[in-house]
Amino acid sequence: MRKTTLSLIIFIAAAIFILQSCYPGDELTYSDTDIVATFYDKDADFSNYDTYIMSDTIYTFDDESQSLIPNDDISLTNKTTILNGIESNLENIGFNSTSNPSDADVVIAVVVTSSTWVGGGCYYGYWYYWYPYYSWCYPVYYTYDTGTIIIAMIDRSVTEERPGLWIATINGLLSDASTELQSRINQNIDQAFSQSPYLGEGK
Amino acid sequence: MKITQIKFWQLLSVLALTILLFSSSYAQREQWYGALTYSVSVPAGDTKDIIEDIGWWGLGLDYRYMVQKNLSVGLYFGWNTMYEKVTGLTELNTDPPGAIYGTQENTINSFPIMASIHYYFGERKQLRPYIGLNAGGSVMLQRKAIGIYLWDNDQWQWGVAPEVGVAIPVERDFGLLINGKYNMYFSGEDAIGNDVNNAYWAINVGFVWEP
């Protein structure tokens, strides 16, 4: 084998060794994991919904009963920040609040996961007395970190199990103990609404 | 979409070694030559909407058979990597539809495998500009990672790669090769399933050896 060919073989071997990583990637920082995912019912006409009711309870998933139960682990500060953030965004895009369930077009349910949660499936809530039927389904299957905030907008008139009209998921946010948490909550809730301009249609 | 990472570099190494061995065995016929190039990828077309950054990792392998004094046919193998980390919004045309905002890492590994034809200007053993056309396709490994969300879409995409270049002789059977191949693919999906026509420039610099 000639020298030229031999040197080329060595060159190729070295190059392949250097280039062998198909997915170079970087290490993710904590803020890199801030993710806001939103999904919506493509058949929904959001101009038909302009009044909402939102419980002042934040829920978590109960795996055994496949239902929502109150999440008692959330600090009052975080709870207030979350609920105020949702409320101000809803009102900014033209929704009106009501305390009378029969006047509401949609129910807003807020969930914060207290363990790693494999998303997907349908859940009942303790607010079923707001009649007629408030089971709703999370439409996408993923695994979410502890401390994920889920905001579900449910059509109050629906009488069957179906995905929420609009679902926002903010991954793993409340597992952060840093001082920046409050601003990150606000920032990410704002982002959820700003990437869902259809919510404000017709208002 | 599937979540499978295939070690194509292993396949590429086998191809490279096979080509070099054939190169040696056919050396006496003075009809073949091979080229090994370092390849830089410059995203274009729909690919540029996914990744804007230049990809600095890549390889090109050419093997050409001279059917006439100024005309060759052959094979082209490549490996082009493009990567970008950005923070932004990705619309999902899924069911249900939606959008995801976050820091995302987009990666494309393209492994073109094409037949080629080239026409050379000038005389053998002199500086030879050439033009050519490569036709075939590419194995595309495409990944989008947004935090905990990960989409992989590995597929074959048909395409062509027009090429211009120049071979610069250095020794009797050895030279330098510089070329640009505009890889464009006619059909395919990106990592999250949207229809795209991937395209990128592969700028190649390397060695050419001939009998």
Side-chain angles (χ1 to χ4, degrees), chain B residues 50-96:
Chain B
I50 303 166
I51 298 172
E52 287 194 356
D53 288 355
I54 293 171
W56 296 101
W57 292 5
L59 280 176
L61 276 171
D62 282 272
Y63 208 62
R64 299 178 189 176
Y65 177 73
M66 301 300 296
V67 291
Q68 289 178 19
K69 190 179 169 187
N70 289 318
L71 192 69
S72 72
V73 295
L75 294 171
Y76 158 52
F77 304 97
W79 179 12
N80 295 91
T81 299
M82 287 158 275
Y83 167 81
E84 189 174 59
K85 180 178 173 182
V86 290
T87 299
L89 186 68
T90 299
E91 297 286 345
L92 298 175
N93 299 318
T94 49
D95 187 16

Side-chain angles (χ1 to χ4, degrees), chain A residues 136-200:
Chain A
W136 61 279
C137 309
Y138 191 86
V140 182
Y141 284 80
Y142 286 111
T143 301
Y144 297 95
D145 294 340
T146 302
T148 293
I149 301 171
I150 297 159
I151 308 164
M153 179 183 287
I154 307 154
D155 186 338
R156 201 189 66 81
S157 65
V158 165
T159 55
E160 60 191 11
E161 271 189 352
R162 58 176 301 167
L165 282 173
W166 175 74
I167 306 278
T169 307
I170 302 167
N171 184 63
L173 193 58
L174 292 197
S175 58
D176 178 19
S178 75
T179 52
E180 296 173 355
L181 179 59
Q182 301 305 311
S183 70
R184 286 176 64 207
I185 290 173
N186 280 321
Q187 226 168 34
N188 284 292
I189 290 175
D190 290 349
Q191 177 61 40
F193 282 89
S194 76
Q195 71 189 46
S196 310
Y198 43 84
L199 291 175

Side-chain angles (χ1 to χ4, degrees), chain A residues 2 5 8-9 11-12 16 19 22-23 25-26 32 35-40 42 139 142-144 171 191 195, chain B residues 9 13 20 24 36 79 83 85 89 96-101 103 105 107 109 141 143 146-149 173 209:
Chain A
R2 293 174 307 158
T5 306
L8 281 167
I9 290 174
F11 177 77
I12 286 176
I16 287 170
L19 299 177
C22 282
Y23 297 103
D26 291 337
D32 285 342
I35 299 157
V36 182
T38 50
F39 301 97
Y40 64 94
K42 63 184 177 191
Y142 286 111
T143 301
Y144 297 95
N171 184 63
Q191 177 61 40
Q195 71 189 46
Chain B
W9 63 272
S13 63
L20 285 168
S24 301
L36 174 69
W79 179 12
Y83 167 81
K85 180 178 173 182
L89 186 68
I100 294 185
Y101 178 87
T103 299
E105 293 181 283
T107 311
N109 284 275
L141 309 187
R143 170 173 289 183
I146 308 179
I148 57 166
Y149 299 85
D173 59 353
W209 68 99

Side-chain angles (χ1 to χ4, degrees), chain B residues 5-135:
Chain B
Q5 184 175 336
I6 304 167
K7 295 288 185 184
F8 275 92
W9 63 272
Q10 292 172 331
L11 174 65
L12 201 66
S13 63
V14 171
L15 284 171
L17 290 172
T18 306
I19 287 170
L20 285 168
L21 289 173
F22 271 96
S23 170
S24 301
S25 62
Y26 278 93
Q28 301 308 313
R29 298 188 181 184
E30 298 191 352
Q31 290 174 320
W32 294 87
Y33 72 89
L36 174 69
T37 53
Y38 164 70
S39 185
V40 173
S41 313
V42 182
D46 290 349
T47 306
K48 198 175 179 182
D49 294 337
I50 303 166
I51 298 172
E52 287 194 356
D53 288 355
I54 293 171
W56 296 101
W57 292 5
L59 280 176
L61 276 171
D62 282 272
Y63 208 62
R64 299 178 189 176
Y65 177 73
M66 301 300 296
V67 291
Q68 289 178 19
K69 190 179 169 187
N70 289 318
L71 192 69
S72 72
V73 295
L75 294 171
Y76 158 52
F77 304 97
W79 179 12
N80 295 91
T81 299
M82 287 158 275
Y83 167 81
E84 189 174 59
K85 180 178 173 182
V86 290
T87 299
L89 186 68
T90 299
E91 297 286 345
L92 298 175
N93 299 318
T94 49
D95 187 16
I100 294 185
Y101 178 87
T103 299
Q104 53 184 275
E105 293 181 283
N106 296 307
T107 311
I108 297 176
N109 284 275
S110 173
F111 296 86
I113 302 170
M114 297 186 180
S116 66
I117 184 166
H118 293 88
Y119 181 81
Y120 303 85
F121 302 95
E123 295 297 319
R124 197 163 179 268
K125 305 300 180 188
Q126 294 178 351
L127 189 141
R128 299 193 89 181
Y130 68 86
I131 56 172
L133 180 69
N134 305 272

Side-chain angles (χ1 to χ4, degrees), chain A residues 124-142:
Chain A
Y124 290 90
Y126 272 122
W127 62 85
Y128 61 86
Y129 55 85
W130 280 349
Y131 70 94
Y133 193 90
Y134 292 131
S135 172
W136 61 279
C137 309
Y138 191 86
V140 182
Y141 284 80
Y142 286 111

